[in-house]
Amino acid sequence: MSSKPNTPKGTRDFSSDQIVKRNYILKILVDSFKYFNYSEIQTPSFENLETLIGEYEDDQDGQMFKIISSGEKIKRADIDSLNKGELIKFSNSISDKALRYDLTVPLARYVSQNLNNINFPFKRYQTQLVWRAERPQRGRYREFLQCDVDVVGDSSYLQVVESIQLCDMVFDKLGFKNLKLRINDRRILESLSKTAGLENFVEFAIIIDKLDKIGLDEVIKLLKDKGANDDSINDIKDLFSLSESPKDKIQKVIGGFESNLFDELSSIISALSKIKLNVLEIDFDLSLARGINYYTGIVLEVSSPENSPIGSIAGGGRYDNLIQQVGKNIDLSGFGLSFGFDRIYLILEELNLFPDNINNQKTFLFLNFDNNISEQILNSMSNLRYQGIICELYPSNVKIKKQLDYANKKNFDFVILIGEEEVKNDSFILKNMSSGEQNSYKIDTLEDQIKKLI
Amino acid sequence: MSSKPNTPKGTRDFSSDQIVKRNYILKILVDSFKYFNYSEIQTPSFENLETLIGEYEDDQDGQMFKIISSGEKIKRADIDSLNKGELIKFSNSISDKALRYDLTVPLARYVSQNLNNINFPFKRYQTQLVWRAERPQRGRYREFLQCDVDVVGDSSYLQVVESIQLCDMVFDKLGFKNLKLRINDRRILESLSKTAGLENFVEFAIIIDKLDKIGLDEVIKLLKDKGANDDSINDIKDLFSLSESPKDKIQKVIGGFESNLFDELSSIISALSKIKLNVLEIDFDLSLARGINYYTGIVLEVSSPENSPIGSIAGGGRYDNLIQQVGKNIDLSGFGLSFGFDRIYLILEELNLFPDNINNQKTFLFLNFDNNISEQILNSMSNLRYQGIICELYPSNVKIKKQLDYANKKNFDFVILIGEEEVKNDSFILKNMSSGEQNSYKIDTLEDQIKKLI
């Protein structure tokens, strides 16, 4: 190959330094998930196409990475559709599976498939890669790690309260301060949509969801274009401009609606007012819709800190019909929360929130003066490694300058030198690479000297 | 969807119980890799097709999962090839990337791409999924975890010795006893192939590689069919039937070859005789070829234990030209070792080698008698979780029998009951689910009582 090879568009390699930081975040997430007794599942990277396009056919199809059917199956290619420019139909004719687009549809498939072995309420977490054929941008990639918790088979408001506690723990442990969590109930928005005379709720929700980006005036304009009536436009203007506390806001808003529409939201906000949150400030935001179709009730979102704005860093909601749509005809409510791993990483980097001592295990390099001498210390190195000590032998006996250069570049903490002279004296030299200090010791104290430095 | 959804052929879901066992193995592998100072990298799940098919065009193409090009690019479909039945050419016309088939080609691409930032010798480990469109069978799946260590940019025999030490540590820590590691040098086989008058070494190696499965007589027959001369057939019969110790075997074999062909192998075997191995018994096996094309020197393989036969459980070798083939025109020798994660799992299961206490963290379920009462204990639960204690609140206040049933099925260690009576008395009941014993305590000792049980 002549040209320099690259990672595919929108994908990334990770070096060990980056992985250490990613694992730092992942451990905080996963530990927190465990303390709340979510248990882990893993699902295959691809799903059968029929599992995935059940839910996404309309809106997400173009963003899926479809896999070409193997062997003879590819002969089923629907050339007619290709010629007519019906590209999705064409690609579906030569594909029977696709990389997962999120972790929620695979969860729905998993629950349907294992219905008899699962104890409900089923609390699961999943931290796996997902793939989307989107245009890459800052904090958004074509391959990325999704970190989800979901509870399936229960619809108690307390579960939402606990999810918010979990959010609070995660962001607290990551070192965040003062984050805003906005919460809403899609059923209220649906009612608003009906009152406005807009029967297509998804269309309504998509417009509302743009409020952050395009502002209230533009939203009003779009709603008018869709035929929203004037009364409702005025209501929406008022409702979306409120700045009271969540409880007061509900009191102010509730008048215009059937009152039981606010029951769950009120219970949640009342419970939250009784418990201690370290990081999150709760805001009832009637304009919060969330982009995903399958949400049917409470939705929530945590925004990035003001000094590092990059959109939402966690979000979720209740979905009452997804399991039914993807799998067996069974009525199971779900509530899920997803953490924006890559965005969190970017913010920790930007705000300098990664701990200094994130990778502080000492490393030892044994220089190679002579292969025969090196062979003699392999047993000692093995003993050290069995005790959890990280050590490396420079494999070839090249010039010592080159080996020391390698030790410097790779930030070894200590270097062990055993040359001809040392062999004669039954000794070794231990060099501290940061101070430059070096001392000679008897060879039979090698393991003890090194263990002292850990 | 009407029919029950399933995972795609050859792929698997993992439940939390399975994941705990998988993580047990993975941790032993990764910890050992770290003690030898391999550092981790991660690469994208798919690579550009041109990166992958450079090396694999002939033999592996049919086993790759290719991804359909997004958007308009699919219009480039080569219908001519489809009509002619040239299916690989057709699929290449509508695909520009594929799921990685192993971790070695991505490593070669990574090294080429990051040549200026890498300190050589580059010791890296990588534990990521790979995908092969093979026929699934016991211990072999279409999606599986590959666990690799490689050193790039050095060709010392000591590196091979250390890799064998690493193998020994891994299998020792996993609880294996008496495993056979066979080692060979492909250059010796190449010389043998030439002497036999067979110019196509890959063909020769593929036949030799079948020895285990089809026996010596069949191998001889296949070699004769390919035109191997009679003298060499007799030599091969003798050579492949030797049962001496590795050193003696080399002494016996070496006469028929250019002697420096055995230099590296002899150095390795001599060094290994000086160091302590806990599990591995080394055998020089002239018939070991390994299936992969890119190996150019030493190859080795660890066989599964005799009481749980499933083929090789680790293997590797030296590849001198791969980086060059995949990437920039630079001469870098590599040596890699790959552990058969799924097979190791099956063997540990079969031989009962997973530790009994593999998942021994205590779990606590708080029953929900009443939502208001439950709200009151959320702060205490939060405190416990901040101290690393796993606790769960039953979210809905359904019948207590149902909640206890859930506690039983999910194997909770303890259940906490706070009903109306307990609220009146400022108390709670702590029930030990395995003994059935239950006691009442003052509510303000809740956290302390639970912490005592950890």
Side-chain angles (χ1 to χ4, degrees):
Chain A
M1 185 179 293
S2 54
S3 67
K4 194 176 166 180
N6 270 299
T7 51
K9 180 179 167 190
T11 67
R12 299 161 288 169
D13 289 323
F14 297 108
S15 69
S16 60
D17 288 343
Q18 291 168 311
I19 292 170
V20 167
K21 288 181 182 170
R22 288 171 67 85
N23 285 347
Y24 164 78
I25 299 174
L26 192 59
K27 184 169 169 18
I28 286 178
L29 285 166
V30 165
D31 281 351
S32 304
F33 299 167
K34 282 184 188 165
Y35 302 149
F36 280 78
N37 207 30
Y38 290 90
S39 47
E40 187 174 10
I41 69 164
Q42 291 168 1
T43 63
S45 301
F46 45 74
E47 294 279 346
N48 290 322
L49 206 53
E50 52 176 11
T51 303
L52 294 176
I53 61 180
E55 177 63 13
Y56 288 136
E57 201 150 18
D58 301 328
D59 52 336
Q60 315 288 18
D61 191 282
Q63 303 198 345
M64 270 196 274
F65 285 113
K66 293 178 191 168
I67 295 168
I68 300 181
S69 306
S70 0
E72 299 284 305
K73 280 193 224 155
I74 201 174
K75 287 185 176 165
R76 293 180 204 154
D78 178 358
I79 307 302
D80 250 21
S81 297
L82 177 65
N83 291 335
K84 282 191 228 152
E86 294 172 355
L87 300 184
I88 289 179
K89 214 170 155 197
F90 172 63
S91 67
N92 286 352
S93 73
I94 48 171
S95 170
D96 47 19
K97 47 193 170 295
L99 292 175
R100 65 177 161 239
Y101 171 95
D102 68 7
L103 300 176
T104 314
V105 173
L107 168 66
R109 195 265 310 143
Y110 181 93
V111 169
S112 309
Q113 196 175 332
N114 298 284
L115 216 46
N116 299 327
N117 307 316
I118 292 176
N119 298 308
F120 295 99
F122 180 48
K123 296 180 80 169
R124 88 87 177 77
Y125 76 87
Q126 198 169 350
T127 57
Q128 292 193 280
L129 295 173
V130 304
W131 296 267
R132 293 184 194 170
E134 292 180 309
R135 201 171 55 80
Q137 46 183 296
R138 192 173 115 87
R140 193 171 282 189
Y141 305 93
R142 292 185 147 197
E143 170 178 80
F144 60 99
L145 188 67
Q146 193 146 0
C147 302
D148 282 16
V149 289
D150 288 81
V151 187
V152 172
D154 187 281
S155 56
S156 164
Y157 75 97
L158 282 172
Q159 213 188 79
V160 181
V161 174
E162 278 202 289
S163 297
I164 292 171
Q165 279 190 300
L166 169 63
C167 251
D168 190 65
M169 176 183 272
V170 164
F171 289 117
D172 183 25
K173 293 201 167 195
L174 287 169
F176 284 81
K177 312 255 177 250
N178 309 323
L179 291 176
K180 191 174 270 183
L181 182 146
R182 296 175 299 139
I183 187 167
N184 194 16
D185 192 322
R186 272 211 176 190
R187 290 167 294 187
I188 304 171
L189 280 183
E190 268 182 270
S191 160
L192 212 55
S193 171
K194 269 187 202 141
T195 315
L198 300 174
E199 287 303 316
N200 186 338
F201 170 63
V202 172
E203 212 171 72
F204 178 79
I206 288 171
I207 293 174
I208 299 299
D209 206 44
K210 290 181 181 159
L211 186 66
D212 267 1
K213 284 173 203 138
I214 63 176
L216 187 55
D217 290 348
E218 277 300 309
V219 163
I220 296 296
K221 193 166 162 289
L222 288 173
L223 289 176
K224 275 185 183 164
D225 289 351
K226 292 284 172 194
N229 57 52
D230 286 350
D231 278 3
S232 72
I233 290 289
N234 286 330
D235 280 351
I236 288 172
K237 265 191 198 166
D238 290 349
L239 292 171
F240 287 8
S241 308
L242 296 171
S243 60
E244 281 83 354
S245 78
K247 259 188 183 164
D248 295 344
K249 210 185 276 182
I250 290 181
Q251 285 315 313
K252 213 157 178 179
V253 168
I254 207 165
F257 296 88
E258 287 178 52
S259 67
N260 67 359
L261 258 186
F262 287 82
D263 285 356
E264 186 170 356
L265 203 54
S266 299
S267 299
I268 293 166
I269 285 170
S270 156
L272 287 172
S273 70
K274 293 175 204 161
I275 64 178
K276 182 171 169 269
L277 295 175
N278 292 313
V279 177
L280 295 178
E281 185 200 332
I282 310 299
D283 188 20
F284 162 41
D285 180 355
L286 196 50
S287 75
L288 179 71
R290 303 264 312 148
I292 301 166
N293 274 355
Y294 51 63
Y295 289 133
T296 53
I298 295 291
V299 286
L300 54 82
E301 204 169 282
V302 179
S303 311
S304 53
E306 279 173 16
N307 52 352
S308 182
I310 193 176
S312 80
I313 52 176
R318 179 167 301 288
Y319 44 89
D320 280 334
N321 309 318
L322 184 64
I323 310 288
Q324 216 158 356
Q325 279 162 26
V326 172
K328 270 192 167 172
N329 195 11
I330 181 154
D331 188 18
L332 282 172
S333 176
F335 183 85
L337 203 59
S338 191
F339 291 86
F341 187 86
D342 283 304
R343 290 181 172 185
I344 291 172
Y345 185 102
L346 285 175
I347 294 170
L348 294 197
E349 197 81 288
E350 198 166 287
L351 301 184
N352 218 356
L353 290 177
F354 283 112
D356 291 335
N357 60 351
I358 199 164
N359 189 12
N360 62 352
Q361 238 196 305
K362 297 272 186 296
T363 52
F364 297 83
L365 180 68
F366 287 74
L367 301 195
N368 184 346
F369 284 77
D370 173 283
N371 284 339
N372 276 319
I373 300 176
S374 293
E375 284 185 15
Q376 307 301 325
I377 50 170
L378 287 176
N379 272 333
S380 287
M381 291 184 70
S382 179
N383 291 339
L384 291 166
R385 286 164 176 159
Y386 263 91
Q387 290 166 80
I389 293 167
I390 298 172
C391 53
E392 178 174 338
L393 170 69
Y394 197 94
S396 293
N397 56 343
V398 298
K399 282 193 184 132
I400 293 303
K401 198 193 157 304
K402 195 179 169 192
Q403 297 186 38
L404 281 170
D405 199 39
Y406 173 78
N408 267 318
K409 282 191 183 149
K410 274 194 73 175
N411 291 318
F412 277 92
D413 297 292
F414 297 93
V415 160
I416 290 95
L417 305 91
I418 310 176
E420 231 176 288
E421 192 68 23
E422 282 71 44
V423 172
K424 263 188 219 152
N425 306 330
D426 287 327
S427 69
F428 71 98
I429 291 168
L430 181 70
K431 181 176 169 136
N432 182 322
M433 291 301 281
S434 52
S435 71
E437 194 191 346
Q438 63 178 53
N439 289 300
S440 175
Y441 302 94
K442 280 285 155 199
I443 189 75
D444 54 11
T445 66
L446 176 69
E447 292 173 38
D448 289 337
Q449 291 296 343
I450 288 178
K451 275 188 272 174
K452 270 192 212 161
L453 298 168
I454 297 303
Chain B
M1 186 181 293
S2 53
S3 66
K4 194 175 167 181
N6 271 298
T7 51
K9 181 180 166 188
T11 67
R12 299 160 289 169
D13 289 325
F14 297 109
S15 69
S16 61
D17 288 343
Q18 291 169 312
I19 293 170
V20 167
K21 289 181 181 171
R22 287 171 67 85
N23 285 347
Y24 164 78
I25 299 174
L26 192 59
K27 184 168 167 21
I28 286 178
L29 285 165
V30 165
D31 281 352
S32 304
F33 299 167
K34 282 183 185 163
Y35 302 148
F36 280 78
N37 207 30
Y38 289 90
S39 47
E40 187 174 10
I41 70 163
Q42 291 168 359
T43 63
S45 301
F46 45 75
E47 294 281 346
N48 290 322
L49 206 52
E50 52 176 11
T51 303
L52 293 177
I53 61 180
E55 177 62 15
Y56 287 138
E57 201 149 17
D58 303 328
D59 52 336
Q60 314 290 18
D61 191 282
Q63 304 198 343
M64 268 196 276
F65 285 112
K66 293 178 189 167
I67 294 168
I68 300 181
S69 306
S70 3
E72 301 282 304
K73 279 193 224 158
I74 200 174
K75 287 185 178 165
R76 291 180 205 154
D78 177 357
I79 307 301
D80 251 20
S81 297
L82 177 64
N83 291 335
K84 283 191 227 151
E86 294 172 355
L87 300 184
I88 289 179
K89 214 170 155 197
F90 172 61
S91 68
N92 286 352
S93 73
I94 48 171
S95 170
D96 47 19
K97 46 193 171 294
L99 293 175
R100 66 176 160 239
Y101 171 95
D102 69 7
L103 299 176
T104 314
V105 173
L107 167 67
R109 194 266 309 144
Y110 181 93
V111 168
S112 309
Q113 196 176 332
N114 298 284
L115 217 45
N116 299 326
N117 306 316
I118 293 176
N119 298 307
F120 294 99
F122 179 49
K123 296 180 80 169
R124 88 88 176 76
Y125 77 87
Q126 198 168 350
T127 57
Q128 290 193 282
L129 295 173
V130 303
W131 296 266
R132 292 184 195 172
E134 291 180 310
R135 199 172 56 80
Q137 46 182 297
R138 191 172 117 85
R140 193 170 283 187
Y141 305 93
R142 292 185 146 196
E143 170 178 80
F144 60 97
L145 188 67
Q146 193 147 359
C147 302
D148 282 16
V149 290
D150 288 82
V151 187
V152 173
D154 187 281
S155 55
S156 164
Y157 75 97
L158 282 172
Q159 214 188 77
V160 181
V161 174
E162 278 201 291
S163 297
I164 291 171
Q165 280 190 301
L166 169 63
C167 252
D168 189 65
M169 176 184 274
V170 164
F171 289 117
D172 184 25
K173 293 201 168 196
L174 287 170
F176 284 82
K177 311 257 178 251
N178 309 324
L179 291 175
K180 191 173 269 182
L181 183 145
R182 294 175 300 139
I183 186 166
N184 194 15
D185 193 321
R186 272 210 176 190
R187 290 168 293 187
I188 304 172
L189 280 183
E190 267 182 90
S191 161
L192 212 55
S193 171
K194 268 187 204 143
T195 315
L198 301 174
E199 285 304 314
N200 186 338
F201 170 63
V202 171
E203 212 171 71
F204 178 80
I206 288 171
I207 293 174
I208 298 299
D209 208 42
K210 289 181 181 160
L211 186 65
D212 268 0
K213 283 173 205 140
I214 62 175
L216 187 55
D217 290 347
E218 277 300 308
V219 163
I220 295 295
K221 193 166 163 291
L222 289 172
L223 290 175
K224 275 184 181 163
D225 290 351
K226 292 284 171 194
N229 57 52
D230 286 348
D231 278 2
S232 72
I233 288 289
N234 286 330
D235 280 352
I236 288 172
K237 265 191 199 166
D238 291 348
L239 291 171
F240 287 7
S241 309
L242 296 172
S243 60
E244 281 83 355
S245 77
K247 260 188 183 165
D248 295 343
K249 211 186 277 182
I250 290 181
Q251 284 316 313
K252 215 157 176 177
V253 169
I254 206 164
F257 297 87
E258 286 177 54
S259 67
N260 68 356
L261 257 186
F262 287 82
D263 286 355
E264 187 170 356
L265 204 54
S266 299
S267 299
I268 293 166
I269 285 170
S270 156
L272 287 172
S273 70
K274 293 177 204 160
I275 64 178
K276 183 170 168 270
L277 295 175
N278 292 313
V279 176
L280 295 177
E281 185 200 331
I282 309 298
D283 187 22
F284 161 42
D285 180 355
L286 194 51
S287 74
L288 179 71
R290 303 265 311 148
I292 302 165
N293 274 355
Y294 50 64
Y295 289 133
T296 53
I298 294 291
V299 287
L300 54 82
E301 202 169 284
V302 179
S303 311
S304 53
E306 279 173 16
N307 53 351
S308 182
I310 193 177
S312 81
I313 53 177
R318 180 166 301 289
Y319 44 90
D320 280 334
N321 309 317
L322 184 64
I323 310 289
Q324 215 158 355
Q325 279 163 25
V326 173
K328 269 192 167 171
N329 196 10
I330 180 154
D331 189 16
L332 281 172
S333 177
F335 183 84
L337 203 58
S338 191
F339 290 86
F341 186 85
D342 283 303
R343 290 181 171 187
I344 291 171
Y345 185 101
L346 285 175
I347 296 171
L348 293 197
E349 197 81 287
E350 198 165 286
L351 302 184
N352 218 356
L353 290 176
F354 282 112
D356 291 335
N357 59 350
I358 198 164
N359 188 12
N360 61 353
Q361 238 196 306
K362 297 273 186 296
T363 52
F364 297 83
L365 179 69
F366 286 74
L367 301 195
N368 184 345
F369 284 78
D370 174 283
N371 284 338
N372 276 320
I373 301 176
S374 294
E375 284 185 14
Q376 306 300 324
I377 51 170
L378 287 175
N379 271 334
S380 287
M381 290 184 72
S382 179
N383 290 341
L384 291 168
R385 287 163 176 159
Y386 262 91
Q387 290 166 80
I389 293 167
I390 299 172
C391 54
E392 177 174 337
L393 171 69
Y394 197 94
S396 292
N397 56 344
V398 297
K399 284 197 182 125
I400 293 303
K401 198 193 157 305
K402 194 179 170 191
Q403 297 186 38
L404 280 171
D405 198 39
Y406 173 78
N408 267 319
K409 282 189 183 150
K410 275 194 72 176
N411 291 318
F412 277 93
D413 297 292
F414 296 93
V415 160
I416 289 95
L417 303 91
I418 310 176
E420 230 176 286
E421 193 66 24
E422 282 71 43
V423 171
K424 264 190 217 149
N425 304 332
D426 286 328
S427 69
F428 71 98
I429 291 168
L430 181 70
K431 182 176 169 135
N432 182 322
M433 291 301 280
S434 53
S435 70
E437 194 191 347
Q438 62 179 52
N439 288 299
S440 176
Y441 301 94
K442 281 284 155 199
I443 190 75
D444 55 10
T445 67
L446 176 69
E447 291 172 37
D448 289 336
Q449 290 296 344
I450 288 178
K451 274 188 270 172
K452 270 191 211 161
L453 298 168
I454 296 304

